[in-house]
Amino acid sequence: MRMALQPGSLSAPPVRTVEYLLPSVPAGVGEARSLVRSDLIHWGLTHIIDDCLLIVSELVTNAVRHGGSAYALRLETRADRLYGEVFDPGDGIPAQRSPDLDAPSGRGLQIVAAIADEWGVAAASGGKVVWFSVICAP
């Protein structure tokens, strides 16, 4: 049997995806950062590691604090972007806040918005997904 290839399919960069299911415990934030660092090094995306680690730290911290017993972390490259998602089964949809200057927390989504090229929140079956994208073309 002969199959026709789609034009340009051999020159398109591969899509890489990883997904982790992690327990919702404070130590899981460091574990998530370690996994992201390892994957981005393996994919040759070292120039976006620092930004992605900060974004993932903020999103995973929110999932640990507000999301339930476990969360899923997913990374995927498509064309010139890295996409990330954190799914958790918690109720409610997170939103940016404007905490007082002396408040010890509440700035996580402001940090994500400042660093990510795009980000958002979506209701999902059984919970919610907070996603981000970062341009990864050098």
Side-chain angles (χ1 to χ4, degrees):
M1 178 166 114
R2 206 172 259 220
M3 295 175 53
L5 293 174
Q6 295 293 328
S9 63
L10 294 178
S11 64
V15 173
R16 296 167 289 206
T17 303
V18 293
E19 189 166 347
Y20 302 100
L21 182 61
L22 299 165
S24 204
V25 295
V29 178
E31 183 178 359
R33 280 194 304 261
S34 179
L35 292 167
V36 168
R37 177 183 299 282
S38 177
D39 290 327
L40 295 182
I41 289 170
H42 181 70
W43 293 347
L45 299 175
T46 56
H47 58 286
I48 61 170
I49 286 176
D50 291 339
D51 287 349
C52 291
L53 291 179
L54 187 50
I55 292 168
V56 167
S57 291
E58 296 299 335
L59 298 184
V60 168
T61 297
N62 284 349
V64 167
R65 291 174 99 186
H66 308 290
S69 62
Y71 61 92
L73 169 62
R74 183 170 188 262
L75 299 174
E76 178 178 294
T77 61
R78 283 186 250 150
D80 66 342
R81 290 187 180 253
L82 174 80
Y83 291 88
E85 297 177 344
V86 175
F87 167 84
D88 73 64
D91 293 332
I93 300 294
Q96 281 190 56
R97 297 187 296 171
S98 296
D100 292 333
L101 292 176
D102 59 346
S105 64
R107 294 174 187 80
L109 293 179
Q110 289 178 344
I111 292 169
V112 171
I115 297 171
D117 292 300
E118 295 180 301
W119 77 279
V121 180
S125 178
K128 63 189 164 292
V129 172
V130 183
W131 61 270
F132 69 92
S133 74
V134 174
I135 295 173
C136 57

